[in-house]
Amino acid sequence: MLDPTPKTAKDHPEISGGSTIGIKYDKGVLLAADTHLMYAGCYWYKDAQRIHKVADNCVIASSGDYADLQMLLKKLKDKNDYDIIAEDGHQHYEPKDYCKWLANVHFNKRMRVDPYYNSHIVAGVDSKSGDKFLGTVDVHGNNFEGNYVLTGIANYFCNAILDGNVTDDLTLEGARELMTKCFTVLYYKDKSQGDKIQYVTIDTDSNVNFEDPVTLESKWDYHFTKHLTNDHTRDVRFKN
Amino acid sequence: MDPIDTKDVMTDGTTLVSLVYDGGVMLGCDGKSASAVLIGNRMSDKLEPLHEHIYCQRTGVSAHTEAVARYARYFLDSHCAETGDLPLVETAASIIQKIFYENGKYLRGSMLVGGWDPVEGPQLFDVNKGAKISKKIAWNGSGSFVIIGYLDKNFKENMSKAEAFEFIKEAISLATYRDGSSGGSIRIVDITKDGRKRHYIPHNEKEIK
């Protein structure tokens, strides 16, 4: 007998984060995300961490609902534990396995009309061959790999900055410069983006380095904003 | 005719804080015009001059409130041509109240009107959805919900000019720190009987960023 009560599912993310970006450089992968979480139109949490380490050679950054992210991280940690126990200390799952698993889970939930409202970036280094891996999974289960990946609103703004500039011989400083340009544009234009960015790098030697958040520089004192105000454009006669 | 309501309209979801101090009126606002997702203008100017000594501040849908301010400016100007004298702040507030009350089905917004007139001195009116209320301190906008407690605790009547400036600067900095629809620089206009003086505080110079 079918259950007559209607099925309901959450239809929007509640506590959500902004966009994240990942870029491959010559000796590894660079990920960045900001530390602000938005809830009910306010910056509710200002020092949240949205990039997490899943295994020794795999890091996940995600934008979207934070509760769904924490539940998925629990499941990923269980997978990592099972992997280490079953292989007697050797790790068998590679970053591309975690990425594929996430894509399958997202697609399954989406087909049941109850999605996880997240877009992820999975980054890491293959422990056997030393290849860099950078992939993205979005809310529907779309799974792409590439030299640079973007989630959220960055898809609309930052493709023009990164396309053609992410080459095989890009250095870490060059990658950081590109990231700073992208995040400055996002900070100026996206409501849910804050100005504190956390960078994470993964080397081809599988060194994962979580850096402290840095504040973006922004320019706010242009001449035209200070002096050309509404007083000049509205038709009111002023004495001075 | 159904009121038109688009889904992702550009609003000045904002923070406005204004107060009457000893000798004048100070109106302060933030600088962000944002829709549901994108920031339209991060350095917008929400202070509109209605007359030489009367300013109004806008919050709500940007297109609606700019049009209302434009009509109010026109009606106030023709009223001054008839009387041949400086207008009262209450006149300006009444004109805006009438426009909002009679077209409330189509308009979404509210205004703070402040200024100096030779009859009553410095005054401040809160024209909120068709109701005009005279106040010593007024706030509006989505960011003002964040700081109502701060304003209740720290406001004193008859502050000096420097105290009032620091008070507004700190209040708006606190609101833009937490509210998602407010941000950017702070604009303050200071109206006394000698005229108006504008101030601009960029985001980098705030103490709470």
Side-chain angles (χ1 to χ4, degrees):
Chain A
M1 193 54 197
L2 286 175
D3 187 6
T5 55
K7 272 192 78 166
T8 53
K10 192 167 74 165
D11 65 352
H12 59 275
E14 292 278 356
I15 302 185
S16 60
S19 30
T20 58
I21 305 181
I23 300 182
K24 273 193 200 171
Y25 63 98
D26 55 356
K27 292 199 182 61
V29 185
L30 173 70
L31 289 180
D34 76 325
T35 58
H36 288 230
L37 293 179
M38 237 182 137
Y39 173 56
C42 292
Y43 299 124
W44 211 260
Y45 301 106
K46 289 229 166 198
D47 50 6
Q49 195 180 13
R50 297 204 282 129
I51 311 184
H52 294 93
K53 189 167 135 167
V54 166
D56 278 338
N57 59 352
C58 180
V59 169
I60 291 192
S62 106
S63 75
D65 194 51
Y66 203 61
D68 285 341
L69 168 65
Q70 291 191 318
M71 289 299 123
L72 280 174
L73 282 175
K74 249 194 227 177
K75 295 186 186 174
L76 281 165
K77 184 175 179 316
D78 287 344
K79 269 184 93 58
N80 187 29
D81 288 343
Y82 166 78
D83 184 23
I84 292 178
I85 292 168
E87 297 284 320
D88 281 330
H90 294 283
Q91 193 173 293
H92 180 69
Y93 289 155
E94 304 295 340
K96 69 172 173 20
D97 298 321
Y98 288 114
C99 188
K100 211 56 184 164
W101 182 84
L102 268 179
N104 288 334
V105 163
H106 272 252
F107 184 69
N108 190 14
K109 288 284 276 176
R110 168 249 187 177
M111 290 308 279
R112 294 166 199 277
V113 199
D114 181 17
Y116 287 132
Y117 285 99
N118 285 107
S119 302
H120 302 281
I121 294 182
V122 181
V125 167
D126 200 293
S127 61
K128 294 184 190 69
S129 60
D131 292 336
K132 303 169 277 203
F133 176 81
L134 188 60
T136 178
V137 179
D138 81 346
V139 68
H140 308 289
N142 288 320
N143 179 18
F144 296 108
E145 298 174 34
N147 282 343
Y148 67 94
V149 288
L150 312 150
T151 65
I153 294 224
N155 270 315
Y156 297 91
F157 285 116
C158 300
N159 263 315
I161 301 174
L162 294 174
D163 195 20
N165 289 335
V166 182
T167 51
D168 285 332
D169 53 351
L170 184 68
T171 58
L172 180 56
E173 284 72 33
R176 267 188 220 274
E177 250 183 61
L178 286 173
M179 283 285 200
T180 312
K181 265 193 220 171
C182 290
F183 275 105
T184 311
V185 168
L186 285 174
Y187 174 52
Y188 287 159
K189 269 303 177 185
D190 181 13
K191 217 163 85 160
S192 59
Q193 185 81 16
D195 54 350
K196 270 182 139 191
I197 316 286
Q198 182 180 31
Y199 291 101
V200 175
T201 53
I202 312 174
D203 269 338
T204 39
D205 310 324
S206 289
N207 297 327
V208 179
N209 183 22
F210 279 77
E211 299 173 17
D212 286 333
V214 286
T215 313
L216 272 183
E217 310 235 333
S218 45
K219 187 165 157 65
W220 295 90
D221 53 353
Y222 295 95
H223 177 88
F224 69 87
T225 56
K226 196 165 176 171
H227 296 284
L228 283 180
T229 52
N230 273 342
D231 293 357
H232 295 265
T233 54
R234 307 293 191 244
D235 44 351
V236 175
R237 287 180 295 273
F238 287 108
K239 288 205 182 81
N240 48 350
Chain B
M1 178 184 154
D2 284 343
I4 302 168
D5 192 18
T6 54
K7 275 199 160 171
D8 197 22
V9 64
M10 188 65 60
T11 64
D12 296 308
T14 177
T15 309
L16 309 175
V17 175
S18 318
L19 51 86
V20 177
Y21 68 97
D22 185 22
V25 165
M26 232 186 246
L27 309 171
C29 67
D30 73 311
K32 193 189 264 197
S33 291
S35 65
V37 172
L38 288 181
I39 300 175
N41 186 354
R42 66 182 168 109
M43 306 169 198
S44 56
D45 185 11
K46 294 167 196 177
L47 293 164
E48 295 257 348
L50 295 179
H51 196 79
E52 194 177 340
H53 286 115
I54 304 179
Y55 268 72
C56 76
Q57 286 178 293
R58 312 179 279 110
T59 174
V61 178
S62 308
H64 296 182
T65 49
E66 281 192 18
V68 168
R70 195 153 167 255
Y71 275 108
R73 205 175 295 127
Y74 163 69
F75 288 135
L76 198 63
D77 202 30
S78 50
H79 170 82
C80 289
E82 282 179 8
T83 59
D85 212 352
L86 284 177
L88 301 179
V89 181
E90 185 155 9
T91 311
S94 303
I95 291 173
I96 293 184
Q97 180 198 19
K98 202 166 160 47
I99 298 177
F100 269 116
Y101 186 71
E102 289 176 6
N103 300 297
K105 267 200 302 182
Y106 311 105
L107 298 174
R108 203 173 94 200
S110 47
M111 293 206 181
L112 301 182
V113 182
W116 178 88
D117 64 38
V119 175
E120 298 276 345
Q123 295 164 81
L124 180 61
F125 286 93
D126 187 355
V127 182
N128 201 345
K129 307 217 181 331
K132 174 188 75 175
I133 305 168
S134 166
K135 301 188 90 174
K136 295 284 178 213
I137 177 168
W139 57 82
N140 212 332
S142 62
S144 63
F145 292 115
V146 180
I147 48 169
I148 291 182
Y150 174 81
L151 296 174
D152 281 337
K153 187 162 165 50
N154 293 25
F155 173 65
K156 315 189 289 288
E157 301 212 2
N158 290 330
M159 290 198 259
S160 68
K161 190 190 284 250
E163 278 181 340
F165 187 81
E166 288 302 320
F167 178 78
I168 290 189
K169 185 173 154 194
E170 190 162 16
I172 298 186
S173 304
L174 282 171
T176 57
Y177 184 64
R178 282 290 172 183
D179 182 39
S181 313
S182 320
S185 341
I186 303 178
R187 291 193 193 267
I188 298 181
V189 71
D190 173 21
I191 307 174
T192 55
K193 69 171 169 39
D194 303 321
R196 95 258 183 257
K197 189 159 188 328
R198 269 191 182 255
H199 302 275
Y200 176 78
I201 303 160
H203 177 80
N204 306 326
E205 291 176 18
K206 290 190 223 168
E207 278 169 15
I208 307 153
K209 288 196 243 185

